[in-house]
C-alpha cells in the first residue's frame, strides 16, 4: 500500500485531516489531470480529498491514506504527495429539497517528484488522454484502494442514484453511468 515516489495512481490516499469520532479514513487517488500550462493534479472524490466538503484548500493529500498508515491513523507529513486545490461541493438531501449532483470530485496539485508524471495507474498503466463518450456495452476498468483492478461494461447511461455518506446524509446524483461487473 505504501509506494515509493513517484507513485502510481489507483492507490490508497486521502486527506491528512480525514479523522473524526475516533475513525480515520482513506480512499483512492484516482487519475492524473493536467492544465494547459503543465500543472498536474490528482483527480479523486470530494469525500476522499476534501473530507466531504469540510476541507480547506491547501490541506495535505497523503499516500497511503490514514486508514492504511502504519500505525493506522498516523499523520505523517512525509507522505504528502499533493495539496488540495479545489472541489465541487456535494449537495445533500434535506426535508425540503433533493438537489441533483453530477459529480463527487476534487483535485489536488501534485508536489514535485511525488506522482508518476505519465499518470500511470496501478494494474492499468498509462491511459489515453482522448475524451470518450459513454456507450452501452463499452468495456471499462478501474483500479481502486479497496477493490484493486475491476472490469465491467456500461449497462445504462443517464442514471439517477442516491448515495449514502453516513450520519444520515444522502446525496442524489443524476446523469450517471451504470457499470455491470464482468
Amino acid at each position: 500500500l505504501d509506494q515509493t515516489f513517484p507513485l502510481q495512481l489507483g492507490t490508497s490516499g486521502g486527506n491528512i485531516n480525514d479523522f473524526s469520532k475516533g475513525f480515520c479514513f482513506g480512499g483512492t487517488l484516482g487519475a492524473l489531470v493536467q492544465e494547459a500550462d503543465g500543472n498536474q493534479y490528482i483527480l479523486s472524490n470530494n469525500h476522499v480529498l476534501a473530507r466531504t466538503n469540510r476541507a480547506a484548500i491547501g490541506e495535505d493529500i497523503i499516500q497511503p491514506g490514514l486508514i492504511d498508515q502504519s500505525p493506522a491513523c498516523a499523520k505523517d507529513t512525509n507522505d504528502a504527495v499533493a495539496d488540495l486545490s479545489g472541489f465541487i461541493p456535494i449537495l445533500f438531501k434535506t426535508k425540503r429539497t433533493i438537489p441533483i449532483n453530477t459529480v463527487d470530485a476534487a483535485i489536488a496539485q501534485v508536489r514535485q517528484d511525488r506522482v508518476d508524471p505519465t499518470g500511470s495507474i496501478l494494474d492499468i498503466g498509462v491511459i489515453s488522454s482522448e475524451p470518450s463518450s459513454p456507450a452501452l456495452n463499452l468495456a471499462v476498468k478501474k483500479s481502486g484502494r479497496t477493490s484493486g483492478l475491476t472490469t465491467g461494461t456500461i449497462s445504462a447511461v443517464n442514471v439517477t442514484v442516491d448515495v449514502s455518506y453516513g450520519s444520515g446524509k444522502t446525496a442524489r446524483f443524476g446523469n450517471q453511468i451504470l457499470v455491470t461487473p464482468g
Side-chain angles (χ1 to χ4, degrees):
L1 294 174
D2 197 356
Q3 292 190 49
T4 57
F5 300 119
L7 63 92
Q8 287 185 294
L9 297 170
T11 189
S12 171
N15 190 299
I16 197 166
N17 297 316
D18 204 357
F19 186 93
S20 68
K21 298 180 183 172
F23 294 96
C24 61
F25 304 95
T28 301
L29 302 179
L32 190 67
V33 295
Q34 183 170 312
E35 288 184 312
D37 65 7
N39 287 329
Q40 292 187 320
Y41 300 84
I42 295 170
L43 171 66
S44 188
N45 300 104
N46 172 325
H47 73 267
V48 173
L49 299 183
R51 301 186 291 124
T52 313
N53 302 338
R54 296 186 327 267
I57 300 302
E59 288 185 358
D60 288 347
I61 304 305
I62 59 173
Q63 194 290 316
L66 287 174
I67 192 67
D68 295 318
Q69 289 285 327
S70 182
C73 305
K75 293 183 176 186
D76 187 350
T77 57
N78 292 318
D79 287 339
V81 297
D83 302 296
L84 181 65
S85 303
F87 59 92
I88 307 288
I90 299 170
L91 306 173
F92 291 97
K93 287 180 164 184
T94 66
K95 291 180 182 179
R96 295 190 177 135
T97 64
I98 305 174
I100 303 290
N101 298 276
T102 55
V103 295
D104 174 348
I107 59 170
Q109 188 167 10
V110 171
R111 290 187 180 181
Q112 188 172 356
D113 301 324
R114 294 301 203 157
V115 175
D116 182 335
T118 69
S120 182
I121 297 173
L122 289 172
D123 300 319
I124 294 176
V126 178
I127 60 174
S128 171
S129 62
E130 294 299 315
S132 177
S133 296
L136 293 178
N137 300 314
L138 181 67
V140 295
K141 57 185 164 182
K142 72 168 183 68
S143 180
R145 173 208 170 258
T146 304
S147 61
L149 178 65
T150 56
T151 61
T153 56
I154 295 177
S155 56
V157 296
N158 200 23
V159 174
T160 298
V161 62
D162 288 350
V163 177
S164 173
Y165 282 79
S167 303
K169 288 184 171 184
T170 300
R172 178 164 288 171
F173 290 84
N175 196 25
Q176 301 300 296
I177 300 166
L178 180 64
V179 175
T180 301

